[in-house]
Amino acid sequence: MRDSDFTGFRGPEFERADMAGARFTAVSLDGAEFRACAFHRVVMRGVEMADVTIDGEIRNLVVNGVDVAPLVEAELDRRYPDRRTFRPTTPEGFREAWDLDERLWEATLARARRLPPELLHESVDGEWSFIQTLRHLAFATESWVGRCILGDPSPWHPLSLPWDEMSPRPGVPHDRDARPSLEETLTLRLEAMAMMRRVVDGLTHEQLDSRTEPLVGPGWPDEGETFPLRECLLVVLNEEWWHRIYAERDLAVLEERG
């Protein structure tokens, strides 16, 4: 298809738009960018795709009759053998995963410390800075361990950082533009990591198979929700794994700038 085949508007931005059930026929999306978008039950037929990058949680993605999601997962495990450790099924496995996470982040932090401090506030390709990444990981642990597992209705530090697209919620901080120092951020980050350490160190099979109590008060996750405790811990491990991968990727770019 050629540019001349299309008419209409070019370059608009859609934010918090509900397009569920929309139908696109002979539409050019060349150069489009999608962030934090849901594509559940999307059907694409007769499409042309080249030089496309997809990062996210992918399940049941069928391309030309082949479910490629298991192939992607297998390739990621091949590239990153440690990744399997972050899908534990036993209390001992969760302790092993957290031990490994602490070691991996020690190396990533040592790499970050070699950069000029101002670079740790720089974004690469619109992603979070290194400092913002640490702030977000604190938020994730506070939410899924502090709020869900330990029952603290408001566990967040003022510098904790939710994901960008989260709508404002009473009592939940969301100061994306704050610029704390690395040491100030690490105080917050290490307190959250210590919270996770206490939980996994005392974890039993009975606890792992239990559910959390219904959440109390406004915040994230939502009031009244309850989760398998196992799921809460896996969410934290998943956040830890991927955000370290993203941090390492962006640190490589910042090293070139530095």
Side-chain angles (χ1 to χ4, degrees), residues 126-140:
E127 300 294 333
W128 278 330
S129 68
F130 187 79
I131 295 292
Q132 288 170 327
T133 296
L134 298 183
R135 293 171 58 203
H136 174 68
L137 288 173
F139 173 82

Side-chain angles (χ1 to χ4, degrees), residues 86-163:
F86 281 70
R87 300 193 298 269
T89 59
T90 65
E92 295 76 15
F94 277 94
R95 286 187 276 274
E96 180 185 356
W98 197 246
D99 288 344
L100 177 58
D101 186 66
E102 290 177 336
R103 293 196 301 271
L104 291 173
W105 270 104
E106 283 180 6
T108 300
L109 181 59
R111 185 178 181 182
R113 286 187 183 279
R114 292 193 288 268
L115 289 170
E118 63 271 15
L119 286 184
L120 301 184
H121 290 286
E122 283 202 17
S123 169
V124 175
D125 194 26
E127 300 294 333
W128 278 330
S129 68
F130 187 79
I131 295 292
Q132 288 170 327
T133 296
L134 298 183
R135 293 171 58 203
H136 174 68
L137 288 173
F139 173 82
T141 304
E142 290 164 342
S143 298
W144 291 99
V145 177
R147 178 166 164 86
C148 291
I149 296 178
L150 300 180
D152 184 344
S154 184
W156 305 285
H157 187 279
L159 287 174
S160 301
L161 184 63
W163 68 99

Side-chain angles (χ1 to χ4, degrees):
M1 289 184 284
R2 302 160 300 176
D3 288 345
S4 59
D5 294 331
F6 306 101
T7 59
F9 48 90
R10 176 185 292 266
E13 292 190 10
F14 302 94
E15 185 172 345
R16 301 187 187 279
D18 185 354
M19 291 185 164
R23 183 182 181 92
F24 301 89
T25 303
V27 173
S28 172
L29 294 173
D30 291 352
E33 181 175 316
F34 300 89
R35 289 180 180 268
C37 295
F39 286 92
H40 305 295
R41 299 174 298 283
V42 171
V43 176
M44 301 181 186
R45 301 191 189 281
V47 299
E48 298 176 9
M49 270 190 162
D51 305 319
V52 175
T53 298
I54 301 175
D55 287 310
E57 183 179 347
I58 300 171
R59 299 189 304 271
N60 304 324
L61 175 60
V62 178
V63 178
N64 291 337
V66 178
D67 185 356
V68 301
L71 307 180
V72 172
E73 290 296 304
E75 175 61 15
L76 287 171
D77 284 348
R78 186 192 68 81
R79 292 185 183 186
Y80 307 109
D82 287 337
R83 186 169 176 264
R84 298 181 181 89
T85 305
F86 281 70
R87 300 193 298 269
T89 59
T90 65
E92 295 76 15
F94 277 94
R95 286 187 276 274
E96 180 185 356
W98 197 246
D99 288 344
L100 177 58
D101 186 66
E102 290 177 336
R103 293 196 301 271
L104 291 173
W105 270 104
E106 283 180 6
T108 300
L109 181 59
R111 185 178 181 182
R113 286 187 183 279
R114 292 193 288 268
L115 289 170
E118 63 271 15
L119 286 184
L120 301 184
H121 290 286
E122 283 202 17
S123 169
V124 175
D125 194 26
E127 300 294 333
W128 278 330
S129 68
F130 187 79
I131 295 292
Q132 288 170 327
T133 296
L134 298 183
R135 293 171 58 203
H136 174 68
L137 288 173
F139 173 82
T141 304
E142 290 164 342
S143 298
W144 291 99
V145 177
R147 178 166 164 86
C148 291
I149 296 178
L150 300 180
D152 184 344
S154 184
W156 305 285
H157 187 279
L159 287 174
S160 301
L161 184 63
W163 68 99
D164 286 345
E165 296 77 18
M166 190 184 84
S167 57
R169 293 164 185 256
V172 179
H174 202 150
D175 187 358
R176 193 185 198 278
D177 297 328
R179 291 176 65 89
S181 67
L182 176 60
E183 297 309 316
E184 186 178 2
T185 305
L186 282 176
T187 298
L188 163 66
R189 162 73 166 149
L190 293 175
E191 287 176 356
M193 293 184 76
M195 183 191 308
M196 179 74 166
R197 166 58 67 189
R198 290 192 296 272
V199 170
V200 298
D201 277 354
L203 192 62
T204 66
H205 288 279
E206 291 74 19
Q207 289 174 324
L208 195 55
D209 294 331
S210 67
R211 292 189 68 89
T212 63
E213 294 295 322
L215 297 178
V216 177
W220 173 258
D222 290 322
E223 184 173 11
E225 289 200 80
T226 179
F227 301 91
L229 188 142
R230 179 192 307 271
E231 179 181 323
C232 298
L233 297 177
L234 286 173
V235 169
V236 173
L237 288 178
N238 187 63
E239 291 277 317
E240 292 280 334
W241 170 262
W242 281 112
H243 282 292
R244 193 189 64 81
I245 294 295
Y246 302 150
E248 291 278 347
R249 174 200 65 196
D250 293 347
L251 285 173
V253 176
L254 295 174
E255 287 164 349
E256 292 294 325
R257 294 181 186 176

